[in-house]
Amino acid sequence: MSDYIIEMENITKEFPGVLANDHVTLQLRRGEVHALLGENGAGKSTLMSILFGLYQPDSGVIRKNGQVVQIHNPNDANDLQIGMVHQHFKLVEVFTVLENIFLGVEPVRLGVLKYQEARQRVLELSQKYGLSVEPDARIEDITVGMQQRVEILKMLYRDNEILIFDEPTAVLTPQEIRELMAIIRGLRDEGKSILFISHKLNEIMEVSDRCTVLRKGQCMGTVDIKDTTVEDLSRMMVGRPIQFKVEKGDLKPGAMVLEVENLVVPSKLHKNNAVKGVTFQVRAGEIVCLAGIEGNGQSELVYALTGIEKITSGSVRLQGHEITRASIRQRSQLGISHIPEDRHKYGLILDYNLADNLVLQRYWEPAFQHNGFIRQEQVRSYADTLISQYDIRAGQGSQTIARSMSGGNQQKAIIAREIDKNPELLVAIQPTRGLDVGAIEYIHAQLVAQRDAGKAVLLVSLELDEVMNVSDRILVLYEGEIVGEFAPRDTTVEQLGLYMAGARRSQQAGVSENQEKSGTARKGQHS
Amino acid sequence: MMARIRKLIQKPGFDSLVASIAAIGIGLVFGLILLIVFNPGKSLYGFGQILFAGVSSTGKFSKVLYQAAPLIMTGLAVGFAFKTGLFNIGATGQYMLGTFFALYTGIVWQFPWWAALLAAMVGGAIWGAMPGLFKAFFNVNEVITSIMFNWIGLFAVNVLLANIPRVLADFYGASNPDRTANMAAANPAAIIPKWGLDQIFGSSYINISFFIAVIVAVIAYFVLNRTIFGYELKACGYNRNASIYAGINARRNIVLSMIIAGSFAGLGGGIYYLSGTAQYTIEKILPAMGFNGIPVALLATSNPLGIIFSALFVSYIQVGGEAMQPEYAKEIIDIIISVIIYLSAFSLLLKGVIRKQLKKLVRVEAITSSKGEVEP
Ligand SMILES: Nc1ncnc2c1ncn2[C@@H]1O[C@H](COP(=O)(O)OP(=O)(O)OP(=O)(O)O)[C@@H](O)[C@H]1O
Ligand SMILES: [Mg+2]
């Protein structure tokens, strides 16, 4: 039998305006974890989609165990025991977790769904691999992190042998990532062969055996992980060394920009409130970071601030204006920009082209419309400016349909739109999710530039490295409450982890409610 | 040359056009098969009628335009809503209400034609607003509501008309009590003007309604594609969450979209029954004009400008069908015509296949032409 369980040879795939894969060869050994690395738009997802039968290659062959195979659709892939967790999940929003997991392979007896049996099996798998899910919750009601776990369970449920993970860790917490790494290793030890895409080099170093690097659709080579370093990999990928540390000027907090008082936001998932009386402020010229494990109220808090979700009580002020009851549009006009967590659900209109998406938050401004008519030329040239300024890569420029862009480039488009609005307050949830190291470097620099330009930045991140690196002040959110406040240089990742897990809770959190408008007390902590 | 063709093929919309034409071809082939099945001896004659009757005389051509006008309007009612993410299956009910408003204001209030047409739009708009409101505020699927409103509309209009003696034909001395008055007797000013077209075409069917419909289609196209209102409407249709995130009032837009769609269908009803040649018959069946808006819109992939042509096609086929009359029974003609129309619309599902074939074609040509360049 051949050494390789899967061989993709000379795969070429062209999309309008881009050669997504240009004679790429990838060989997956039986029982190895094989990483796929490359910049945003390098063609990783395309290559994996070809293996999973979603796209047909223009040329090239795929072999399984040395035999040439034709994979016309995901059913063929499933028959070949190939499973995939997509970068953007493919779940049925209105179905429950359970229904999604066995969708298409429903266990039936005489045409009747053996529901209990299926449920039992899912619960066992979820227990065995520590993938906690709420089996009866609807997909649209659960967090992105849990949706991810549903996707993984889906593959495990189908007993797939070849597992493709397209950026599985982008939404997980450090704790969850560690768990996933253990799961992946466990799966490999069980003899499964794994393809693993990630932009996080340390993860690749940690979990994989070999790594293939793509750059602009071309294969840059395959290396053994034990003979390589993070620096080597990033150079291979980008073609230049990467700056991992963020350069920041001195902290000069200015006027109060955002004041949140006793904010209570209901939860869609359960009867309790998602945000339970949170009070905090963000000043001009500082980056405040809300750290916490996913599902502790971050999303709801941000939706409340940006007006997408209704609040139960409390108040929100922006530069002294009461905006508690303001509409989304009013808040946006008053200077709030929002980089949303779920770029497909909120951030983009996937069937619009890039230009139309880039003006989504300001198409009504006189610059882009005249008497209700869209000024096409202006929209186009504005889009072109952003595309070149933010290095958004899209096959047909401003006319590319957003759906066809790579995940990282979609994210760059949103970031460009929100930052270019020149907001007073930039609210960003997981802004670097799914970006390559080069792009992350760039986004961090942009966030810092906003801060240095005297803007307020509220950053929600699950990644402690990012939290420690970028923020001026860290608030830890646990079960809808702020349980601790730190300056990054006075704390450690370990300490933050304890607070995030709810193991510890500082008194300051209680104190901060009484300090509300007293900026002096707050300043004292920084000096 | 090759490059030009290649460019044309890659143009967005080109594959839609090719797919529509291919779909029509498939529909026609099935029509021919049915003709052979029902009456082999006359099948070629029948097929000839379908293909050419519409242009066989100016009178027939007038009829094509005459029926195309309301079809454009119901097609727009479906297509416009569809572009904004709503499946307006209620064009029939909206068409009914438009008919009622046009007849009532035209006859009872003696409105001139243009005012009665505006009233027809109002009637359709009210009926379109209903499913819109239910969808926006109670999240009730618009398909269900609009089907119900089709039937409510039909019976409400029938009851109303039957109980207003002045609008009925027998009030003016005609012998049939189940239909509405001949406009020439009830209010000549409510008849849509012909501007001398009847002289040119030698047919009483022709009037300016086709041009009205075309103008409305062009306006709909511009609203959808060139205005921020259209941008917002489509945004809500494609992704309601993202449009909310962008500060767009999604509820308002759903209602507005249905109001506009309804007014289109309503205008269709007005156009048809103010022609002076049509009289509404009180029957318990839904008029086909409303439902035919669905294949018209599908065939044009909901593009308002395309709807003009797909409505012309559907009307053309219908006129051709009528011309087969003595050789084929009316019911059989109805079946054949419906098969052609609906198969045409549904074979559009082949669009993906056609796109792939086109791409292959381009690639093969690109390879062969680049080889050509290499050789001296
Ligand atoms: N369906 C499509 N139609 C047109 N172009 C596409 C399509 N899918 C991908 N592309 C283009 O192909 C290129 C490769 O995209 P792909 O999604 O494979 O990148 P990626 O390496 O997965 O990037 P990322 O890290 O950002 O997810 C991009 O330029 C993208 O715009
Ligand atoms: Mg990708």
Side-chain angles (χ1 to χ4, degrees), chain A residues 15-16 18 20 39-46 55 87 167 199 393 395 404-409 434:
Chain A
F15 289 118
V18 267
E39 284 180 288
N40 296 127
K44 306 177 294 294
S45 296
T46 304
Y55 296 134
Q87 182 170 9
E167 295 192 39
H199 288 295
R393 296 187 197 160
S404 74
M405 291 165 55
S406 82
N409 282 298

Side-chain angles (χ1 to χ4, degrees), chain A residues 338 352 356 363 372 374 418, chain B residues 226 228 231-232 234 239 245:
Chain A
H338 173 196
Y352 271 177
D356 283 343
Y363 62 88
I374 297 169
E418 298 304 317
Chain B
R226 295 278 186 270
I228 57 168
Y231 177 96
E232 289 190 350
K234 283 190 296 178
N239 184 347
Y245 156 84

Side-chain angles (χ1 to χ4, degrees), chain A residues 350-386:
Chain A
L350 290 171
D351 295 303
Y352 271 177
N353 64 28
L354 182 52
D356 283 343
N357 271 295
L358 287 172
V359 294
L360 185 61
Q361 292 282 14
R362 47 197 302 188
Y363 62 88
W364 36 268
E365 289 180 3
F368 304 112
Q369 61 106 2
H370 185 67
N371 294 332
F373 282 87
I374 297 169
R375 301 170 72 175
Q376 313 257 4
E377 285 309 306
Q378 274 80 350
V379 170
R380 233 176 229 240
S381 67
Y382 174 71
D384 289 337
T385 317
L386 290 193

Side-chain angles (χ1 to χ4, degrees), chain A residues 57-81:
Chain A
D58 298 339
S59 67
V61 291
I62 302 175
R63 286 178 217 276
K64 186 184 178 200
N65 294 326
Q67 306 279 307
V68 173
V69 289
Q70 300 292 333
I71 308 174
H72 295 292
N73 53 48
N75 285 338
D76 290 352
N78 197 41
D79 293 343
L80 293 167
Q81 294 181 297

Side-chain angles (χ1 to χ4, degrees), chain B residues 6-168:
Chain B
R6 200 182 161 149
K7 225 177 181 172
L8 179 72
I9 288 179
Q10 287 184 336
K11 239 181 151 158
F14 181 80
D15 45 1
S16 296
L17 181 66
V18 174
S20 295
I21 292 170
I24 287 174
I26 294 173
L28 286 174
V29 168
F30 267 84
L32 179 60
I33 293 172
L34 281 186
L35 285 170
I36 296 170
V37 170
F38 284 120
N39 187 348
K42 294 284 181 194
S43 59
L44 281 184
Y45 163 79
F47 200 57
Q49 290 296 331
I50 290 180
L51 287 188
F52 304 113
V55 285
S56 63
S57 70
T58 53
K60 285 274 188 314
F61 187 67
S62 306
K63 196 98 190 272
V64 171
L65 295 185
Y66 165 74
Q67 288 185 357
L71 273 178
I72 292 175
M73 297 316 304
T74 54
L76 285 175
V78 178
F80 190 90
F82 199 72
K83 280 269 178 196
T84 66
L86 298 163
F87 191 23
N88 178 20
I89 209 164
T92 309
Q94 295 143 20
Y95 178 85
M96 296 291 313
L97 263 283
T99 302
F100 175 73
F101 271 56
L103 291 175
Y104 187 85
T105 56
I107 296 172
V108 179
W109 292 349
Q110 293 286 303
F111 272 19
W113 64 276
W114 54 269
L117 285 185
L118 287 178
M121 293 183 83
V122 172
I126 294 172
W127 228 237
M130 301 290 177
L133 288 167
F134 276 101
K135 167 101 178 182
F137 290 96
F138 305 107
N139 208 11
V140 180
N141 192 304
E142 73 278 9
V143 173
I144 295 164
T145 343
S146 47
I147 290 176
M148 294 196 321
F149 271 85
N150 280 343
W151 291 101
I152 299 174
L154 172 74
F155 288 112
V157 167
N158 281 350
V159 167
L160 287 169
L161 287 178
N163 289 292
I164 307 171
R166 270 196 72 182
V167 302
L168 297 177

Side-chain angles (χ1 to χ4, degrees), chain A residues 467-485:
Chain A
V467 170
M468 294 295 274
N469 219 341
V470 180
S471 60
D472 296 312
R473 197 144 62 83
I474 303 169
L475 303 173
V476 179
L477 209 56
Y478 176 72
E479 293 198 335
E481 289 174 274
I482 294 179
V483 296
E485 175 172 343

